[in-house]
Structures are given as structure tokens and as C-alpha cells.
Amino acid sequence: MSEARYDPAAIEPRWQEIWARERTWEVSNEPDGRPKYYVLEMLPYPSGEPHMGHLKNYALGDAVAHFNRRIGRRVLHPMGYDAFGLPAENHAIKTGVHPRDSTASSIESFQRQFRRWGISIDWTREFGTHEPRYYRWTQWLFLKLYERGLAYRKEAAVKWCPNDQTVLANEQVTAEGTCERCGAVVEARQLEQWFFRITDYADRLLEDLATIEWPEHVKTMQRNWIGRSVGAEVVFRCEELGIDYPVFTTRPDTLFGATFFVMAPEHPDVLRLVEGTEREQAVRDYVNHAMTESNQERGDVEKAKTGVALGRTVTNPVNGEQIPMYVADYVLMEYGTGAIMAVPGHDERDFAFARAYDLPIRRVIEGGEELPYSGDGLLVDSHPDFDGMGNREALEAIVAWLDREGKGHASVNYRLRDWLVSRQRYWGCPIPIVHCPQCGMVPVPEEELPVELPDVTEYKPKGKSPLAAVEEWVNTTCPSCDGPARRETDTMDTFVDSSWYFLRYCDANNDEAAFDRKVLREWMPVDQYIGGVEHAILHLLYARFFTKAFADMELLDAQEPFQALFTQGMITRDGAKMSKSKGNVISPATYVERYGADTARCYILFMGPPDQDVDWSDEGVEGVHRFLARLWRLGLELGASAPAALAPESLAGDDLVVARKAHWVIEKVTGDMAGRFAFNTAIAAVMELVNECYRHRESAAPQTLRFATATAASLVFPFAPHVASEVYELVTGERVWEQPWPTPDPALLESDTFELVCQVNGKVRDRVTAPAGASREELEALALAAPNVRAHVDGHEIVKTIVVPEKLVNLVVR
RNA sequence: GCGGCGGUGGCGGAAUGGCAGACGCGGUCGCCUCAAAAGCGACUGUCCGAAAGGACGUGCGGGUUCGACUCCCGCCCGCCGCACCA
């Protein structure tokens, strides 16, 4: 073979220049008869340089984009930057560099890398969410939500990060009660904040999961997060004070087993109930203690139940019983009504509390050996009308009865809270609202958008947005009465920016509107969305909410933003997540420099199933590099001729072997790519084809080898576009991306003979060549004649024969 | 505790109920070379055997089946999500 060396540094820039010069990957919004396909990778947050996860993400998306173009679809594959956010701002606090400047330089490195990697992007649709031409429309959409009552301000107990000096959405607080961004322990504060009414959409967000092709675990995470519980609200009355306390329960069938009543320490009535009584001090002490405990401590399931009696009683509405009231920290203010009926016989937590405080425990449902029993069964010791009924049936009967008596009603509860979107930070999209002493909150008129983010000199937040210090910006006139007024100084959560960017891509240069409904009809929904599973709840839930809210406003037609979702696994190093603190970070740039973009991209896809975490190995990269070099050398050696076509009927011998292999690989790769993400096995199949070419490169005709090499290049193009273009050009003189995706010739997928597997009692004993289409009898006879089959059958009685045509014969002997 | 996903050679990983281990890495041997690198080729699950061949083998224990990595039941282990959610 030739002495020439595969040199990606020479090959790759050449093709990148052609694609840039000819704007090969741009796509028009005008339909042209081809079916549309919108493939999108989650947009990057531009901070520093791109890392391996980015390379994987965009290598995956690019493979999908290329494949779909080649099978005749009009593919939208855009790119942008999620540019507002805390890291750039924290960097500014430390260094004084304006976040706009650090963000711009990071965006430049991303742009450079994406071009260096040869990702096929339509650059005419590029934007950063921090650009006024984008956030103008983020503000406009905010006002649309405000108009519909879906954006509102209220005072509430909210999560506050003392380090970042801002409120956080529930979704941004980890299970340990720490800030998702900086890790500080989050505090509770009572503050007035902006919210989006995502809870209005809880049911639809839940139901429509059935209509989208997402990984089951992501759907499960969203279901868990929304946390829909069906039950009833039941009113317990405190007669002494004449106050009704509704509680939410999923088990109204156990109402007759309620023996006490518990309120959350944060419940506003707890102190009022004990004011002036001998219980007051004890209750105050308990409440104060509960408040000082962290969420983590309080949330510990193993912790012993504690609480204090309030010295009051409420009436159980189903039987008129007076049951004692308690305050206990196992009841949460943020779920249900902040008060519960306690049924120790049929609830583990209530049982534990009853044990600790010596409260009565009553069985009202049969089943289980001992209490607490939370399963199904017949009602007992409840009421003659319900005793003997199955509890599920009784549940409905009891709720109906409560409803008639005005003591309760069927009810649904959600874990999902409204989305807190305001942040007391600088580097975000300003909220386009003016506070007027006369008119109250007034939206900034549409024609005055965007409300531009002013420059500041001090980025450090002090519990208020740094914007509050910019007096000349804050002071404005009321759009309604022209009187003096002040601008809202909070900015929006960056997740607001990324909740609609996929809509803007469709119509990115529209100066008249956020997007045109007709254009969106052409592109939406995204056919294939690709990104990390870390966004399973936050981003993916918010984007679904936005899409549904805008669909309700008739701004668009899609009900779901992302028809199919693929969640990629992490790339680890020595089995651990890459991080600066572990010192195990490797940069894609290093490998792209050393081996070329094609090798780096191909290796990432070859490592294993892309939804799985995989460990980076330097030896593995070498292997893929060798494969591409072998392919390239084949192309160089064979050189160009007329486009390689083969007449199947004229093939024989090794030419037939090579041609068959090529067609088998076409079918294999096509199957692995269409709808599946089996890129690792697709690449492996192309490797087999290249190996086959080498094996027969002395014996097969050049034209056959040329065809096989062109096929290999064509099939590997979605993963290694540069070298594939080069090799395809070498052997055919044509541009591979302008060729349709190859289709296998059925005549070459079949063979005249096949290898018949001969089993005795299910164990393989021999293999013989059999003619294709042989009858069952012929196959049986062939198997019986196989020498090693004879050895295992002789002296035994054949009791059964299984023949699988074109595959195997299994002889069952005794 | 609930839900989801996974467990296959020395390693990463392949296998519509039908030849377990494709492909790659690593390893052994050979060719090329003055030599090396690169390249090319052969072999490479474990055990027994000179070979032919045989036995064993996909976390564990059962089951269904002519035949199970694959389907069913019961466990063990690992990862991820949720969790005092009434």
C-alpha cells in the first residue's frame, strides 16, 4: 500500500471552506416538497471552552442531521447560545470584566470549535439569548403571559440562596436543600416575587407525556415532579374557635380511623390556637425549633416523630368525634393545606407519631397482619352504611356523602409549585414592568421593547438586583399616567430564555414578531431533541409549559415542543465525572488537534451506546483513527473513475463477496440510524466493510473495490464528514453530501447458499453449506449427513426435528 | 420505601427466542525493515486435549421452550430519579 499518510489537518479545512463558502447547510423557510425534519441539540451555555460533552452532543445531532438530509428531508439544524446566567456574572464580580465581554469571548471559542468540528449548522439563524434582538421577544412573551394572568406577583415562602443573594425556583434547589449552582444551603424567606402559573398546566403536562417519544425515565421524573395525587378535601371544624380546617387526603376511606389532627409548624393558625393558654410556651418553643432546622434535617425519614399538643380539638366530620390537635414537623406547609387528619391504623407516619405520643390507633380496613396497614380491604368499624364495602368503593361513597353534607369534596393535589422566575441578579433579561405609585404595575408598551439591560459598575448583589442602583435607569415615567415611576429591577431566571429559543430558530430574523405562526407550522415540533439528562425536569418541563401556554394564545399550533428526545450519557475519565477539582478534564480541542475532528467525533460515537456513560480511552481513539486512515488509503490507492456502479449479475468470486458485504453494510447502517441511535454498531459495520476491502484488495476488481470504498465513505459521512467527502471524491469525483443515501440491492443481500447450523438437543454440532430455498426435508437430510451430527445421533432415537428454514436444524434425540 | 435503568472475555462493547462475544482496544506470533516506527497478515472466553473434538460459560436460584444473554417468577448487586407529599 501507499506510503502516504492520512493527514486530517490538510483534509478537514478544505471541506469546511467549501461548506462555508457555499452555505451548504442553510435551509429556507419556504417549503420545497421535501418533508421537514427539525433536529436540535440543547443550546450550549457559553462559559470558557467547549468540553467533551459538547462534542458528543453535537456529533450526535450532526449525524442525525446528515442522515436525514441524505434520505431526502429538508433539515433544520440551527445553533445559538444560552448566554445569560450566573457563571458569567460571578466571574464579573471576581474580575470586574463585564459579563457581556466574557460571554462574547466564550461564544467566539464555541463558534470556532463548531466550525473546526465540521458541524453542519445553518448559521443564518444563530443568536445569543443575551442579545437585545432576542430578549426583546422574551420580554414580549413575558407580557403575553402577564396579560393572560400566567405571570403574576405574590408574596410567598421562597427559597433564597444566601451566597448568590437571589431567590431560586423549587427546581433549582437540590434534594439536599442546597443551591443547584453554588452548593450553599438554601434558606426560606417570605418575599414578594414573580411567578409563572405552570400549575395551571399540571394535568396537561402529565397527560401529554403519552403523546411524545421520550425515554421512560425522563417521563417518570416529570411525573414524579408534577406529583399528582387524587383524593378529597375534608373539612375539620374547631368548634371552640369556630374555624374550619380543610385537609387534603388521598384516603378518605380511612376517615373513620382518624384519631388526631396535625398542623405544620409554619401554619399561620398554630400560634393563634394556643395564644393565652398554658400550651403557648411549649408550642412557641417547638415552632421556633422547627424553623431553625434545615430542610435536610427535617426531611429525614429516619428521624423520630416529634410534636406538641395544642390543647384544642377538631370535629371529625364523618362521626362527630372530637380529636386532639397537634403541631408536628412531619407535616409540611407547602403541600396540601398544611394540616392533616391522622389515621395511625393505616398510615406509617401517623402510626409512628401515635406510638410516640400514646394516641389511639384504630383499624377501619381489614387486611394485613398488623397495623399500620395501607393496602386495600373491606371497611370495618366505620359506619353501617359503609362497613363491609371494599375500601375503594367506600372511598367514592364517602366523598359523595361529604359533598352532599357540604363537609368536603373530591380534590386533586400536586407537588408541582408555580415557577418562581424573578432573580435579584444583574446578568439576565429585565422584567418589562413599571411600578407606578398611581397605577400599580404597568407593562412596558410593546413598542418600547426591549427594556435594555443597562451597564453597571458593581455586579455584587446585595439582596437586591444590582439594577436597583442604576437610578437613571430605574426612574422612568409611567406608560399609563406619565407620572414618575420605577422600573422592576429583578431579572428573569435564565430558564425563561431557554424555554422558547427553539421557536425563535424557526424564524430567527423576524423583526416584527417573536415568530410567525405560519413559519412555526412548517418546522414545529422539533422532531429530534438531544441533550443531557440533567435537564429532565427544569428545562424540559418549562419548555413544554411555554409551548402549551403559547398554543393556548394561538401563537403557535404545536402542543409539545420536542416530539422525540434522546438523552446522551456522560463522558467520564478514569470512571469519574470530569472536573477541574479532580484534575481529570480532557479537552476536545487536544484530540481534534492531534487526530482531527473526524476521529474525535467518530470515536465518541463508537465508544458505546450514546445514551450510556462511557469512559474515554486514549487507546480507543487510536483505533478509530487507524480505521479512518485505512479508509483514506483505500481511496487514494483506488483513485477516481466513473461513478462506481456495479452490475450485480456479472459479479463472481471475490467481487461478489465484496459487493455482498457492501450491500449488507448499507442495510445494517441504515437500520441502525433510522430511528435508533445505534451509531456504535453502524460504525462497526463500516469497519467490517473496510476490512473486507483490504482482505480482497489483491483479488477483487478495482471497480468492485471502488464501489465498496465509495459505499463505506458514503455511510460513514454522517460521523466523519471530512474524510468521507475526501474519499468519496477520490473514488467517484463527486460530492458525497449531494448523493442520496445508498439503498441495498435485494439481489445482493441474498445468497445462493447459506450456512446451515446443525444442532443436536439444542447444541451446535456442525455447520454445513446449504442451498438457499431448500425444503425442510432437504435441510433435515443435510443435517443428518453432517459428520459431527452423525457422531451425536448414532445409537440414539430421533424423537423430534425442528427445522428453521434458511437457518438451522435441531434434532432432538433420546 | 416508590419508580426507572443496568449486570456478557483482560477492557469498551455486539447479538428480531436460533452459531454468545460483531467491531474496537489490549495481547501473542509472523511479514516488511540494517533496525525501529508506521503498515500488512494470522491467532486471541475458560478448562481438558497433540489434534479431531469435548466440557463449561452472559450476577444468583427456579420456570417456560426442541432451543433462553433474550420471555416468566423469586433474589443479589450497581447507577439514576423521587421521597415524612398526607
Side-chain angles (χ1 to χ4, degrees), chain A residues 154 156-159 170 173-175 177 186-190 195 199 225-227 229 248 262-268 290-291 293-296 298-299 328-340 412-418:
Chain A
K154 75 164 179 199
V158 298
K159 316 286 188 195
N170 285 352
V173 180
T174 65
V186 167
E187 298 168 1
R189 287 215 181 168
Q190 196 71 19
F195 291 87
T199 52
W225 188 261
I226 295 167
S229 303
F248 175 74
V262 191
M263 294 175 114
E266 297 86 352
H267 196 292
M291 298 295 196
E293 265 187 321
S294 75
N295 286 358
Q296 197 175 0
R298 248 185 89 171
D329 65 3
Y330 79 92
V331 175
L332 309 173
M333 192 59 216
E334 60 263 30
Y335 188 78
T337 62
I340 61 154
V412 178
N413 229 290
Y414 301 90
R415 209 187 80 103
L416 181 70
R417 306 283 87 184
D418 274 343

Side-chain angles (χ1 to χ4, degrees), chain A residues 339-370:
Chain A
I340 61 154
M341 66 166 195
V343 184
H346 302 284
D347 180 281
E348 261 180 62
R349 297 151 301 173
D350 297 343
F351 182 85
F353 191 85
R355 270 291 166 80
Y357 292 87
D358 209 18
L359 291 156
I361 297 165
R362 194 181 294 165
R363 176 189 277 281
V364 291
I365 291 182
E366 285 182 338
E369 281 174 18
E370 50 189 49

Side-chain angles (χ1 to χ4, degrees), chain A residues 461-482:
Chain A
K462 301 181 176 96
K464 261 185 172 179
S465 163
L467 292 180
V470 190
E471 280 298 321
E472 62 279 18
W473 180 83
V474 173
N475 291 308
T476 184
T477 53
C478 170
S480 171
C481 72
D482 269 342

Side-chain angles (χ1 to χ4, degrees), chain A residues 469-511:
Chain A
V470 190
E471 280 298 321
E472 62 279 18
W473 180 83
V474 173
N475 291 308
T476 184
T477 53
C478 170
S480 171
C481 72
D482 269 342
R486 294 176 66 81
R487 290 192 189 280
E488 170 65 59
T489 57
D490 282 356
T491 54
M492 292 184 222
D493 181 1
T494 53
F495 279 102
V496 178
D497 309 323
S498 56
S499 292
W500 73 281
Y501 77 103
F502 46 90
L503 302 174
R504 182 67 182 173
Y505 280 148
C506 299
D507 200 9
N509 299 302
N510 191 335
D511 289 332

